[in-house]
Amino acid sequence: MKIRFLFALVVLGFFPGREGCLLQAADNLELRSGDRIVLLGNTLIERAQIYGYLEAILVSGNPGLDLTFRNLGWSGDNVFGHSRAVFDAAPKGFGKLRKQVVDAKPTVLVIGYGSNAAYAGEAGLPAFIAGYTRLLDAVSETGAKLALLSPVHLEKKKPPLPDPAAQNRNLAIYAAAISKIAAERKLLFIDLFSKLRAESPREQLTGNGIHLNKLGYLRAGQLIATGLGAGSGTVELAIDAGKPSLVSAANARVEGVERKGAGVVFKLQRSSLPSFSGEGGIQEILRVRGLRSGKYALRVDGAEVLQADADEWKAGVRIAGGPDFERIEKIRKLAVEKNFFYFHRYRPANWPYIYGFRRHEQGNNAVEIPLFDPLIKEKEAAIAALRSPVVRTYELARVKGGAK
């Protein structure tokens, strides 16, 4: 068994212990304005809608692009669409999956399957590959650009939860198979299996070893967004307060540097909104030399963000708060609200009574389902209004009694 397992990994291009070792697709995927990004898959995809990180990162990282999103994740689903059959025979689920994808009108389709299928081990791999190929052939008819996700590595938890080592070996085989399919079809492959890992022993990316928690979805969102081309970058500024001037600026435009009292004031506009502060989020670094000794408060648009002394400002202070960070969080929450409306739009809880075998009882209520559409558009318009950075006033002011 061990020999067959290692042989399968070699054939599929996966070598344990090497970072970024999965096969890479030949073609990259470039986002364009007006793209409709549809997420298709199992529980990994469905639960992403309750966090909204991927959408917020992609929207804020591409402020010049008008991007919209639809989540078609279905817990427990597989490449055959069996979970979507609901009360029908399992094989009918594939037809429903296909229709759901077409109805969502994707121009970009992000597909995440394999975590469920991997429980079948090596024996189930041929059926999975055949099913995945059939799925890709079907959704390719939409003309959408495709990106394939690997399944996620399982975390080891304390007993009585089982050791996931054996299942991770199965997942490695299926991740390698997906990467091979992507390479053969020249599709973008995003490797969550190898790259989505806790950064310290204390950090947990799942709640039960299998399903991602909030931090897990933040990190996964960052990895997927990077693969799809999020443009957000760390803002790094160097200011000389002694002879008020801009020394350097990365990923932002700075104007009007002036002395104000013992401190300095200037205007800043980011090239894109920041990612999420803390927990691996992109931060802002501000270096200010030429300050007299003492403690200084940073205010952005009049609101205090943090305090540090002159030596700390000279070395560089990491900033993880302020109006722009609040703005990205607003976008995330709006995405979650939009996802709630879309979820009930495309799969209402009383589906059997509206569209299914009991529609003769309450099918007349189907006319109400499209009423979700304006609610969805309202949230999308609110997101669009927030995605572009605005000019902010930064002021570094000596704290009263802060002189040494």
Side-chain angles (χ1 to χ4, degrees):
M1 175 66 74
K2 187 174 182 180
I3 293 175
R4 291 203 309 273
F5 171 71
L6 291 174
F7 176 75
L9 294 182
V10 172
V11 169
L12 294 172
F14 183 75
F15 300 87
R18 290 173 55 187
E19 188 67 24
C21 47
L22 294 181
L23 293 171
Q24 296 300 310
D27 292 349
N28 292 323
L29 189 158
E30 182 180 354
L31 295 179
R32 298 179 180 177
S33 189
D35 270 337
R36 165 69 57 79
I37 301 170
V38 174
L39 309 177
L40 175 69
N42 53 28
T43 310
L44 172 68
I45 298 297
E46 180 175 321
R47 291 191 177 192
Q49 69 186 297
I50 64 176
Y51 296 103
Y53 282 116
L54 175 59
E55 297 183 37
I57 293 169
L58 280 173
V59 165
S60 62
N62 296 280
L65 304 183
D66 185 18
L67 304 176
T68 56
F69 299 80
R70 297 289 183 265
N71 188 306
L72 294 179
W74 200 299
S75 293
D77 198 32
N78 56 25
V79 293
F80 306 103
H82 285 167
S83 292
R84 299 168 195 264
V86 192
F87 292 100
D88 291 327
K92 289 190 175 181
F94 189 80
K96 293 183 179 181
L97 181 156
R98 192 171 181 172
K99 183 178 186 305
Q100 289 162 1
V101 171
V102 170
D103 289 348
K105 297 180 174 61
T107 62
V108 175
L109 193 58
V110 179
I111 303 175
Y113 282 110
S115 56
N116 298 340
Y119 283 99
E122 291 180 58
L125 190 62
F128 173 75
I129 293 173
Y132 209 124
T133 300
R134 175 193 180 209
L135 171 64
L136 295 179
D137 288 342
V139 299
S140 292
E141 295 174 1
T142 64
K145 296 165 283 189
L146 306 182
L148 311 186
L149 305 180
S150 75
V152 172
H153 182 272
L154 303 184
E155 283 187 325
K156 186 176 182 179
K157 299 286 188 178
K158 294 180 180 179
L161 293 178
D163 187 333
Q167 183 57 18
N168 277 328
R169 289 193 290 271
N170 287 333
L171 287 166
I173 296 175
Y174 281 71
I178 295 169
S179 75
K180 185 172 185 290
I181 291 170
E184 291 172 345
R185 289 175 171 251
K186 293 182 168 45
L187 303 176
L188 176 65
F189 173 73
I190 300 174
D191 178 15
L192 298 180
F193 182 80
S194 298
K195 296 180 179 179
L196 184 60
R197 303 292 178 91
E199 296 180 356
S200 70
R202 292 184 176 182
E203 195 173 77
Q204 298 289 314
L205 301 183
T206 69
N208 56 9
I210 299 174
H211 301 118
L212 296 180
N213 57 21
K214 184 177 181 180
L215 178 58
Y217 273 107
L218 168 59
R219 295 281 176 76
Q222 290 169 336
L223 286 170
I224 297 169
T226 298
L228 293 176
S232 185
T234 302
V235 166
E236 295 190 50
L237 305 178
I239 302 289
D240 188 339
K243 7 178 215 183
S245 63
L246 170 67
V247 177
S248 64
N251 298 311
R253 188 180 79 246
V254 176
E255 296 177 345
V257 181
E258 298 178 358
R259 190 84 187 194
K260 185 174 182 181
V264 66
V265 63
F266 57 90
K267 301 287 187 181
L268 177 145
Q269 184 175 18
R270 308 177 63 99
S271 58
S272 62
L273 291 176
S275 188
F276 294 88
S277 62
E279 299 161 330
I282 296 170
Q283 302 197 358
E284 186 174 306
I285 302 172
L286 176 59
R287 296 181 177 85
V288 183
R289 69 192 188 197
L291 294 171
R292 299 204 309 266
S293 63
K295 183 166 282 189
Y296 292 79
L298 172 66
R299 302 189 186 108
V300 181
D301 288 352
E304 185 172 311
V305 175
L306 56 82
Q307 294 185 8
D309 64 37
D311 289 338
E312 291 172 319
W313 286 114
K314 183 178 180 180
V317 174
R318 291 183 176 272
I319 301 165
D324 284 337
F325 290 88
E326 294 167 4
R327 199 176 180 99
I328 182 67
E329 177 62 13
K330 288 180 182 178
I331 290 175
R332 186 189 72 82
K333 289 180 177 179
L334 285 167
V336 171
E337 293 171 6
K338 181 269 301 177
N339 289 336
F340 173 84
F341 291 134
Y342 182 70
F343 180 87
H344 292 285
R345 168 67 168 98
Y346 103 94
R347 52 185 288 194
N350 53 348
W351 183 91
Y353 289 90
I354 296 178
Y355 300 118
F357 68 96
R358 300 190 70 169
R359 62 183 176 275
H360 62 281
E361 298 179 42
Q362 297 183 25
N364 59 304
N365 291 325
V367 296
E368 297 183 5
I369 299 302
L371 298 180
F372 282 109
D373 292 340
L375 300 177
I376 294 168
K377 289 182 179 179
E378 178 184 328
K379 298 301 178 183
E380 289 175 337
I383 290 171
L386 291 172
R387 71 178 188 238
S388 296
V390 298
V391 177
R392 303 288 187 188
T393 299
Y394 277 54
E395 180 183 358
L396 208 60
R398 186 199 289 267
V399 176
K400 187 175 181 180
K404 292 183 179 178

